[in-house]
């Protein structure tokens, strides 16, 4: 009885892997952070924590765009009114000024919808899935439980995970 093995020397295999890895485009820091959060999500101890981490992995990818000159003008007018108000305390006015200035940019939710539409144009349902996941995330963060107590967080996690993986593949110019 005889047998044989065919294989490659470890340095050849490792060399091929290193060469292939070197051809990949370098991800930017926000994409890398998103991927780290995505991977860490599976280490969480509860389905709720897994889901929260998965949806949170999208946020570094959301680049809030300016809403345009008309919005800037509107915010500027509101700021003038705020500064002339004497019935609002200085501390509250400073807080409101910051919040008003944030209105010049789209929200994270709007940025996520745009990201999904732009990166996954062949998946028109993806932006609704991301928006629903973001709504559920907000419910969990603010009240500790989803509005619909029958929601299956494991199923929701699988759904958002698939979309996130597709976004990563698109951003990295890779196929799954």
């Amino acid at each position: 009885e005889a047998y044989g093995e065919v294989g490659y020397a470890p340095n050849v295999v490792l060399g091929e892997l290193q060469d292939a890895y070197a051809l990949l485009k370098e991800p930017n820091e926000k994409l890398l952070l998103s991927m780290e959060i995505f991977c860490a999500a599976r280490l969480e101890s509860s389905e709720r924590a897994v889901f929260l981490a998965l949806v949170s992995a999208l946020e570094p990818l959301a680049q809030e765009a300016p809403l345009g000159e008309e919005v800037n003008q509107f915010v500027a007018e509101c700021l003038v009114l705020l500064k002339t108000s004497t019935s609002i305390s200085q501390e509250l006015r400073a807080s409101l000024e910051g919040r008003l200035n944030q209105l010049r940019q789209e929200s994270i939710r709007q940025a996520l919808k745009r990201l999904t539409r732009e990166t996954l144009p062949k998946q028109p349902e993806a932006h609704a899935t991301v928006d629903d996941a973001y709504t559920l995330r907000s419910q969990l963060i603010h009240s500790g439980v989803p509005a619909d107590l029958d929601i299956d967080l494991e199923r929701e996690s699988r759904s958002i995970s698939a979309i996130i993986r597709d976004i990563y593949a698109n951003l990295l110019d890779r196929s799954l």
Side-chain angles (χ1 to χ4, degrees), residues 2-107:
Y3 66 91
E5 270 185 43
V6 178
Y8 294 98
N11 61 340
V12 172
V13 173
L14 289 175
E16 289 293 318
L17 288 172
Q18 287 173 332
D19 291 346
Y21 185 75
L23 294 175
L24 293 175
K25 118 178 150 176
E26 240 349 91
N28 68 39
E29 289 301 315
K30 288 189 170 198
L31 176 57
L32 198 53
L33 174 61
S34 173
M35 295 172 90
E36 289 169 357
I37 295 169
F38 180 81
C39 290
R42 291 298 171 191
L43 300 174
E44 295 294 346
S45 61
S46 71
E47 280 306 315
R48 181 172 54 179
V50 168
F51 178 80
L52 289 171
L54 288 171
V55 177
S56 295
L58 285 166
E59 288 193 39
L61 302 176
Q63 304 293 318
E64 300 135 306
L67 292 175
E69 194 49 43
E70 296 84 12
V71 172
N72 281 341
Q73 183 60 39
F74 175 78
V75 170
E77 291 169 11
C78 290
L79 288 169
V80 168
L81 286 173
L82 179 64
K83 287 181 185 189
T84 61
S85 174
T86 56
S87 62
I88 300 173
S89 72
Q90 178 58 35
E91 185 178 325
L92 183 54
R93 271 190 296 199
S95 174
L96 291 172
E97 181 179 347
R99 291 169 66 187
L100 282 168
N101 277 316
Q102 289 176 340
L103 295 176
R104 297 176 192 271
Q105 305 271 78
E106 66 185 355
S107 68

Side-chain angles (χ1 to χ4, degrees), residues 51 109 126-137 139 156:
F51 178 80
R109 175 181 235 128
H127 84 274
T129 302
V130 168
D131 193 52
D132 291 346
Y134 202 74
T135 298
L136 179 55
R137 175 197 172 274
Q139 292 169 5
E156 297 298 324

